[in-house]
Amino acid sequence: WGAHPIPTNHPSPFFPHARSSTSGTMESGGEFEAACAAMSIGRFSSRFPDTKRAEAYLEAAKRSPLRYKCLDIAKKTRLDYVAFHAISIVRHTIVKEWGSLQGKRVMGIRKELLSMALGGNNGNKVLLNPAIQKQLMHVVAVITKRGWSVEADSSSSSSSSSSSSWMLQETKRMLSDQNTTVRVMGLRLCSAVIDEIASEGSNSALGQSLEFHAKVRFSFERRCLKSLIALMIQFVGALSSSPSIDMKLLIPGLQVIQQILSWKFCATGSVQAALRAWSKGRAGNEDYDDDSDEYQFLQPGKDWAEILVLNNNPVLRLMFSLYNSKAVRGDQQASHLVRENIRLLASVRGKVLPATERKLRAEYANKIVSGTLGMAKMLSCCDVGAHVLDCCRVLSRAVDNYKFLTLVLHAPKTAQHLLQYVTETATRILHVDKGGCNKGGDEVLDFNDLETWQNESLDQLLDILTGILLEIRFNRRKFPQNVGAVLGRYCETIFARYVQKRLHFATEEARSGVEHQEQFHDDEYLNEHFDSVAALARASCGPSLELLSKLIDQRTSLLAGAANSKTQRALSADETFRVREAQEQLFYLLRLLGHTMADSADGEVPQIPDELMRLSSAASSSASSSGNNGNMNSGEVDPLVKASQSVLRYSAFESKLIKAGRLDETLSPFTAITLIWFLRRWGLSYLMPNESLYSTVSERLWRAFGQDSKSGLMALEAVVDKVATNILDWPQSFEVAE
C-alpha cells in the first residue's frame, strides 16, 4: 500500500491499544486524501485511476492503524470529502472495537464528536457542512444506541451516565442554549438518535441481533420518547409565540415531532412483544409490509393520554396554532410538516383512545375534522396543491379511524361541513376548464397532468366518500333516515362532474393523440378507481344510470350516422375527429357503466347490487301501478333495463358493421374489447339471474332478463352473436378475437 508506514507508537486519546498495532502499512496524508477525492468527486490519479481501487484502499484503511488517526484527520482537514470518509472509518472502528472501549472513553469520544459538530475545533468550517454535521450526529447516535443495551436489561435508569439520562439532559442543555447553532444541533442530535434506535437489522450500522434492537427500542420508548415529545412541544411552542418565528429551528423541531408521532409503538408492554412486532417478517418474509394496517395508526400506551388526547390536546392545538401563522404557511417545508403531523395525530387509537371512551373519541374526532376544515380554507399558502392534498389526507385518515357515524351522532354540523367540503373540492378539481377562473370568479384547479396533486386529492376524496357509503350500508339503522338521501345528492353532483371530466379527457386524447392519464393502462389502478367512482353512482343510481344511458345512446347514434355517410362519401376532417372522439368516450362510458351495474366475480357468485335491485323494484312497482307490463320495449320505466339496452344497441351496431366487412375508422378495436369486458361482467349478474340469491326481486328485471323471458333469451343470443362475430369476422385483430 505504500513505502512509508504510519508510526504506530503514537498514543491515541481514545484507542490506547493502537500503540501496539503493527499489522499492515499505509501511507498517510496525501494518499488517503487522493483516495477520498477519487471516491467522492471523481478526481483520479496514477495511484487511484478508478473508484474501485480507491474503495479498496478505504476498506483496507478500516483494518489498518490508519483507522485510529481518522478522528484527527476529520478535525484538521479542510476538505469535506476527506472528513466524510474519515468519520465513516471512525464509526466503523467504534462499532467493531466496542468491546475494548470503557465507559469513560466512550463518553470522551461522544463529547469530542459533539464538539466537532458544533464547530468547536479551531473554527474548521468543513465541520459546519450540514452533511458532515449529520454524519457526526449519526456516529453519536450509534454510540448512544450501542451503549443503551446495558441499561435496557435493567429496570432502573437512575445512573446519570446512562444513555437515556444523557440523551434527555444533553438535548435539554442544547435546546436551552442561546446560540442558535447549538440549538439546531440539539434537534439534529435528537433526530439522529431516534432514527438510529428505530432502525433494526440491516438498516442499522451496528449489525446487532434483532433481540438487541428490540430491547433498545422498547427501553427508549419506555424511558425517553414521551419526555422528548413533551420537550419538543415546549420548545416549538416557545418558537411559535415569538414575534418572528425562526424557521431554522422550527423545521427541525417539527421533524422531530413527526419522527415521534411516526413511532411504531409496542402496545403490549413487553420486550418479547416488541421483538415479535419489530422483527416481523425480517427473517426472509417477502410479504412483510412496513406500512401495513398495524403501523398506519398511532397506538401508544395509556400514559400518553395527557399529551395526546387530554388537557385540551396540547400537540394538536400547537399544530393548528402554527398553521394560523402566515410565516408558517408561507414556508413550503414547515407548512407540510405541520399538516403531516396533524395527519399522524388523526391516527391516534388503541389504549390511549379506546373505543369504549365514546365521548372522548367523539370530541377528539371533532377537533381533528373541524380544525382541518378550518385549515383547508387558508389558501394563502406557498403551495396550494400540497395544502389541498394534505388536508384531504388528514380528513381521509380521520374518517377511516373514527368513523363518520361518530360525527353524525355527536357533531352533526361538522359532519355536514365535511360532506360540503368534499363535494365542493371534488367538483372544483373536476372542472373541465384548464385553469384561471370560472364565471363566478372562483379559482379553477387544473386536473390534466398525471403528476399533479389533483389526481391524488381526488383519490383521497373518493376514499372518504366510499368509506362513508360502506358505513351507512352496514349500519343503516344507526344513521338518521335523511343521511342517505343527503349523501346521495352530493354523490350525484360529483359523479356528474366526474363523467363530464372523463369525456373532456377523451376529447383531448382524440384531438392530440396523446393519453393524458397513463395510469389507466394499469388494470389494478383502473379497477380500483372506477369501483370508487361507481360507489358514488350507486348512491345516486337513478340519475347516474340515466346519464350514462343517454350518453352511450348519443355516441351510438353519432357513429351510426357517420357509418351511413361513409357509404356515400368520404368523411370530413371534423367528422373523422367526432368519430374518434366518440370511440374514446365510449371506453370510459362502458367502463363506468360496467362498474356501476355489476361487481367483479373474483371467486364469488356475482349478484346484482342491492342498491340497483331496490331501484328496479321501485320501478317495477311504479310500472305495475301504471298498468305497464314491464317488457323490454318499455325499458324507459326501469333504469337498469334502459342502461342495458343502450349497450346492446351499440353492440348490435358494431356487429352489423363487422359482418358487412366495414372495418374502418367507425370501429375501434379498443372499444370492441371494452364492450366484451362489459358484456361479460354484466352478463354474469343479469342474464338468467338466480332468484334464490336475492331477498328482494324486481319483477320487471326478471321479465327482461330472466330464464323464462323471451327478451332474456334475445339478450343472450345477442351476446353470443357478438362474441362469434368478433372471432370469425374480425380475424386480423388478434386482441379483439382473444
Side-chain angles (χ1 to χ4, degrees), residues 207-486:
Q208 297 291 313
S209 66
L210 289 173
E211 184 177 2
F212 165 85
H213 293 288
K215 285 182 177 180
V216 175
R217 288 183 64 173
F218 182 72
S219 174
F220 181 78
E221 175 185 318
R222 187 174 51 172
R223 298 176 180 177
C224 275
L225 209 55
K226 189 170 68 171
S227 299
L228 282 178
I229 196 170
L231 182 61
M232 289 301 122
I233 294 170
Q234 181 182 0
F235 178 76
V236 173
L239 290 176
S240 66
S241 62
S242 63
S244 178
I245 300 178
D246 190 343
M247 292 298 166
K248 292 181 180 179
L249 293 171
L250 179 65
I251 290 174
L254 291 171
Q255 288 172 333
V256 173
I257 293 176
Q258 181 187 25
Q259 287 176 284
I260 296 173
L261 295 178
S262 302
W263 187 267
K264 300 171 186 176
F265 285 87
C266 181
T268 56
S270 68
V271 175
Q272 291 74 22
L275 180 60
R276 287 194 299 270
W278 293 325
S279 65
K280 178 183 178 182
R282 297 299 181 188
N285 185 354
E286 297 179 355
D287 296 329
Y288 176 73
D289 183 6
D290 216 29
D291 296 323
S292 58
D293 289 342
E294 64 181 296
Y295 292 139
Q296 286 185 359
F297 297 97
L298 179 59
Q299 304 184 71
K302 193 173 183 179
D303 57 325
W304 280 67
E306 292 185 1
I307 291 179
L308 295 179
V309 299
L310 300 177
N311 300 327
N312 202 18
N313 319 102
V315 187
L316 185 62
R317 187 175 70 252
L318 175 61
M319 293 300 115
F320 282 132
S321 174
L322 281 169
Y323 212 74
N324 284 326
S325 167
K326 290 184 178 180
V328 173
R329 296 199 305 275
D331 186 282
Q332 186 172 359
Q333 188 175 8
S335 59
H336 174 70
L337 284 167
V338 171
R339 297 189 299 263
E340 180 62 17
N341 284 334
I342 294 173
R343 187 187 71 85
L344 292 169
L345 289 168
S347 306
V348 172
R349 66 189 304 179
K351 293 182 179 179
V352 71
L353 194 61
T356 54
E357 297 286 346
R358 295 182 180 179
K359 183 177 179 181
L360 182 61
R361 284 176 62 86
E363 290 176 353
Y364 188 78
N366 184 36
K367 288 179 180 178
I368 289 280
V369 175
S370 61
T372 304
L373 292 174
M375 182 175 69
K377 298 177 182 178
M378 303 177 188
L379 292 175
S380 57
C381 51
C382 60
D383 190 342
V384 176
H387 166 87
V388 175
L389 173 58
D390 287 345
C391 288
C392 291
R393 295 176 71 217
V394 173
L395 294 173
S396 179
R397 175 52 57 89
V399 172
D400 179 39
N401 193 13
Y402 306 116
K403 306 307 176 187
F404 185 66
L405 180 61
T406 301
L407 294 175
V408 171
L409 297 180
H410 299 279
K413 288 187 178 180
T414 301
Q416 183 179 359
H417 292 159
L418 171 65
L419 291 179
Q420 290 173 346
Y421 173 78
V422 169
T423 304
E424 290 171 2
T425 305
T427 52
R428 285 164 68 89
I429 288 175
L430 292 170
H431 197 281
V432 297
D433 290 344
K434 293 185 178 180
C437 296
N438 58 22
K439 295 181 179 179
D442 296 328
E443 180 185 1
V444 176
L445 306 175
D446 180 15
F447 186 47
N448 285 334
D449 187 356
L450 169 63
E451 300 301 329
T452 57
W453 54 268
Q454 289 90 338
N455 281 323
E456 296 182 36
S457 298
L458 182 62
D459 285 339
Q460 294 293 330
L461 295 171
L462 291 175
D463 285 344
I464 293 172
L465 289 170
T466 52
I468 293 174
L469 289 169
L470 282 174
E471 259 195 90
I472 294 176
R473 179 179 179 182
F474 292 111
N475 301 278
R476 187 175 299 275
R477 295 181 179 179
K478 296 181 180 180
F479 280 90
Q481 292 183 354
N482 66 328
V483 170
V486 172

Side-chain angles (χ1 to χ4, degrees), residues 123-161:
N124 188 350
K125 293 183 179 180
V126 169
L127 298 177
L128 297 179
N129 183 316
I132 301 300
Q133 288 181 329
K134 182 178 180 180
Q135 192 185 30
L136 286 167
M137 285 303 176
H138 181 220
V139 182
V140 172
V142 168
I143 294 173
T144 303
K145 182 173 183 177
R146 187 63 181 85
W148 212 293
S149 59
V150 177
E151 63 174 282
D153 292 326
S154 65
S155 59
S156 172
S157 60
S158 58
S159 174
S160 60
S161 62

Side-chain angles (χ1 to χ4, degrees), residues 634-650:
S634 55
E636 65 276 9
V637 179
D638 190 323
L640 289 180
V641 176
K642 184 175 182 179
S644 302
Q645 286 178 327
S646 68
V647 179
L648 292 173
R649 277 193 291 271
Y650 174 74

Side-chain angles (χ1 to χ4, degrees), residues 177-193:
D177 198 286
Q178 297 300 313
N179 189 320
T180 299
T181 301
V182 176
R183 287 189 284 173
V184 170
M185 294 312 300
L187 294 168
R188 288 181 179 174
L189 168 64
C190 191
S191 177
V193 171

